Amino acid sequence: MSFFKTLEVTETTDKKSADWSNAEHVRCLIIGSGPAGYTAAIYAARANLKPVLYQGMEAGGQLTTTTEVENFPGYPHGVTGPVLMEDIKAQAERFGTDVRWGEVTEADLTQRPFKLLADGAPILADSLIIATGATAKYLGIESENKFKGAGVSACATCDGFFYRDKVVAVVGGGDTAAEEATYLAGLASKVYLIVRKPYLRASKAMQERVIRTSNVEVLYEHVTKEITGTNVVTGVTLTKRQGETDEQDVKLAIDGFFVAIGHKPNSDIFAKYLNMDEIGYIKTVPGTAKTNVPGVFAAGDVQDSTYRQAITAAGSGCMAALDAERFLAE
Ligand code: NDP
C-alpha cells in the first residue's frame, strides 16, 4: 500500500490551511518503517537527534508480508519477517525513537526547515530521512482490477490462507514470484507459475526450491491475457508464445491469481524536489544517502533498484542517519 495515496485529495486544501507558526519542529524526521527506517532511527536516536518516525500505512514495510527470512545476519535459524521487524522496531524505541502510526501526505523541500504534513498535521524538520520503500506492481489489465480483493492479490502471505486445497496461479519470474509460489504450494493443491521468458530470473537457490516443489508447475513463455470469473476468479487465459510468430491461447481453471512482478518506489510526493530515475527511484550521491537537497537523505528500497534486500536497506538506513547527524552538526 502506498504511503501517499491521499496526496491528490489533500494537496491544495491542507497545505494552505496548515498553521506553520505553531507546527511541531523536529531535528530528524524519518518516514517509513521497514529495515531502512528503523535502522536509521536506531542510529539517529543513539546520536541524540530525537528522531520522530512515521510508520506509513504498511507498518513494518514489505517484510511483514514475508514468511521466513533466512539471510538476515544474526538469525542463524531464520526469522519470520514480522518478528524481524518487531525486533528492529523495539531496538529503535529502546533508544527513544518516537514511533508514530500515520502517513506523510505532503512535503515542501524548498527551504529548511522542511515542511511536511503528517496525518494532516504540519511538522517542520531540520533533516529528513525518506525510507518509504516500494509498492507491489500489477499487470495493468482490466480484469485484474475487476477482481482485486476477489481472487487477485499481490501478497501470498496475506491472502494465501484463503486458497487452502485450491488451485492458484502466480505471475512473475523473480525471487518474489518464486517465494510466493513455494509458499502457496504449502497451502494450495496446485500452483501454476506463469513466466513470460523462457527462464526464471530468480536466484539459483529459489529456482531449485521451485523445481523441488512437486505441486508447482512452471509455464514458461506464457503471458496473462485475461482473468476470468463472474464475482470471483475462476480462471485465467494465457497466451503461449512459441518462436516469433506462433501464439496460442491456454485456459486454466484457478481460484486465485497472485501478481509478483516487482515494485514501484513510494516517492511521488518528493518528485518535484528530488532527482529520480524514470521509475521513481530517488538518486543518492554514490557512497552516501545524500539526495540533491541538502538535509534530505534516502535509504532502502525507495532509492535502491539493484539490491533491494533487508540487510542492504538496513545498511543504507544507517548511512542516512550518520549523514543526517553530520549535516546537523555542520
Ligand atoms: P524482479 O524485478 O526481480 O522480477 C520481476 C519479475 O516479474 C521478472 O521475472 C519479470 O520478468 C516479471 N515481470 C515484470 N513485469 C511483468 C509483466 N507485465 N508480466 C509478466 N511478468 C512480468 O522483482 P522481484 O520482486 O521478484 O524481486 C525484487 C528484488 O528483491 C530482487 O533483487 C530479488 O532478488 C529480491 N528478493 C529477494 C528475496 C529473498 O532473498 N528472499 C525475496 C524476494 C525478493 P522478466 O524477467 O521477463 O523481466
Side-chain angles (χ1 to χ4, degrees), residues 291-313:
T291 69
N292 57 299
V293 175
V296 178
F297 308 92
D301 283 12
V302 75
Q303 55 83 55
D304 175 14
S305 60
T306 310
Y307 300 105
R308 295 182 285 194
Q309 299 298 299
I311 189 64
T312 50

Side-chain angles (χ1 to χ4, degrees), residues 30 38 118 123 168 173 195 206 228 251 274-275 313:
I30 300 169
Y38 282 139
I123 185 160
V168 298
V195 183
M206 288 307 291
T228 52
K251 287 184 193 296
L274 301 184
N275 293 340

Side-chain angles (χ1 to χ4, degrees), residues 62 66 68-71 137-140 171-179 194-197 199-203 206 209 222-224 259-263 301 305-310:
Q62 291 176 63
T66 301
E68 201 66 9
V69 180
E70 294 177 335
N71 51 12
K137 283 198 285 196
Y138 283 88
L139 296 172
V171 61
D175 279 325
T176 303
E179 194 175 81
I194 305 163
V195 183
R196 65 180 176 184
K197 292 232 171 90
Y199 55 86
L200 287 169
R201 188 200 286 201
S203 60
M206 288 307 291
R209 196 177 291 183
H222 282 71
V223 174
T224 308
V259 188
I261 61 167
H263 294 83
D301 283 12
S305 60
T306 310
Y307 300 105
R308 295 182 285 194
Q309 299 298 299

